[in-house]
Amino acid sequence: MKKEFDPNAFGIIGLGRFGLALALELTAAGKHVIVLEVEAEKLDAVKDQIENIYPIKSITPEVLEESGISHCHTAIVCIGKDIESNILVTMSLVELGIPRVIAKATSTNHGKVLQRIGAEAVFPEVEMGTRLAHSLVSTGTLDFLELCEDFSIANIELSSKFADQSVAQLNLRKRYHLNIIVVIRNEKAISDIAPDLVLEEADVLVVGGSNEAIKKFEQANEL
């Protein structure tokens, strides 16, 4: 019997900043998200926002099967510090036959290893998703990460056109159907996106939404 994979299901292993942003935004987009994390306190912080979270002692093929990740169409390995675990987990996911395995890489050589075992490598801290970019929608888009046909994450540098407005005033959710995941300012990430946060020119907005919505905001952001 041929194994079936759910195109709307995403497995996320590791809940650091990168994994957390993916998990929350995919959940907000109505996707089925399964999260595995060794550190229980990280799961406690999101237990009210993400339904399928699993505290685990180690990541084994059995755990991947039992959690349901083995039936996800896309699995993302967000383990960063432990390179050995990162590679072993990635290999297990590839061996399970998951159609799309994406793994966080910490160096060029690490990325090459991940690619050789059948995964896509992403360098979030260094390139903010460039290695996952399927296309550059415009010069204003620094990176563009397409996780499925109807949902992408883009990093957009805010122009003076929208500067000095608060998050509430800009109201991307209502005006452009986009969610702000993180704001990067002076190479530091602001993850607490309060309504009264005033956005500055050259802030990089990490937004999630449909490709059409991202393109619409990019065009509006152009000077």
Side-chain angles (χ1 to χ4, degrees):
M1 184 177 176
K2 187 177 179 180
K3 189 174 182 179
E4 293 187 0
F5 298 95
D6 183 351
N8 287 310
F10 295 79
I12 294 177
I13 301 166
L15 209 57
R17 193 175 69 186
F18 179 55
L20 177 63
L22 287 172
L24 292 176
E25 194 56 36
L26 286 167
T27 299
K31 304 302 179 183
H32 180 62
V33 178
I34 301 172
V35 175
L36 303 184
E37 172 56 57
V38 174
E39 298 180 35
E41 60 271 20
K42 289 184 178 180
L43 294 176
D44 289 340
V46 297
K47 63 184 180 181
D48 295 329
Q49 298 164 282
I50 303 171
E51 183 177 353
N52 298 295
I53 57 175
Y54 299 94
I56 54 173
K57 292 183 178 179
S58 62
I59 300 167
T60 64
E62 291 75 23
V63 168
L64 296 174
E65 287 279 3
E66 291 170 7
S67 65
I69 282 184
S70 61
H71 291 280
C72 294
H73 185 275
T74 302
I76 306 151
V77 181
C78 302
I79 301 169
K81 294 180 181 179
D82 189 341
I83 294 176
E84 182 179 354
S85 293
N86 173 291
I87 292 171
L88 291 175
V89 170
T90 301
M91 191 178 298
S92 294
L93 294 168
V94 171
E95 289 175 349
L96 284 171
I98 293 176
R100 190 177 189 193
V101 178
I102 302 168
K104 178 179 177 179
T106 57
S107 69
T108 301
N109 287 337
H110 181 195
K112 288 179 180 178
V113 172
L114 294 171
Q115 289 169 343
R116 283 174 184 169
I117 62 179
E120 297 175 52
V122 59
F123 300 78
E125 278 81 9
V126 179
E127 299 176 24
M128 293 304 293
T130 303
R131 292 296 296 270
L132 271 181
H134 283 181
S135 63
L136 290 174
V137 179
S138 76
T139 54
T141 301
L142 302 182
D143 304 303
F144 184 78
L145 181 157
E146 186 174 71
L147 291 175
C148 57
E149 283 187 12
D150 59 349
F151 179 79
S152 298
I153 294 174
N155 301 341
I156 302 173
E157 184 172 322
L158 198 69
S159 71
S160 59
K161 196 171 180 179
F162 290 115
D164 302 321
Q165 294 186 50
S166 68
V167 169
Q169 289 170 327
L170 185 56
N171 203 356
L172 283 187
R173 185 187 294 271
K174 184 175 181 180
R175 292 169 64 187
Y176 297 99
H177 305 292
L178 292 175
N179 294 312
I180 300 176
I181 305 170
V182 174
V183 175
I184 301 172
R185 179 178 295 166
N186 299 325
E187 298 185 358
K188 293 184 179 180
I190 302 171
S191 56
D192 183 14
I193 312 299
D196 60 353
L197 173 66
V198 177
L199 300 170
E200 300 176 1
E201 184 178 355
D203 279 353
V204 175
L205 308 187
V206 183
V207 299
S210 69
N211 296 348
E212 183 180 352
I214 289 170
K215 188 173 183 179
K216 184 179 179 182
F217 176 59
E218 287 173 335
Q219 291 171 341
N221 187 51
E222 290 177 356
L223 294 175

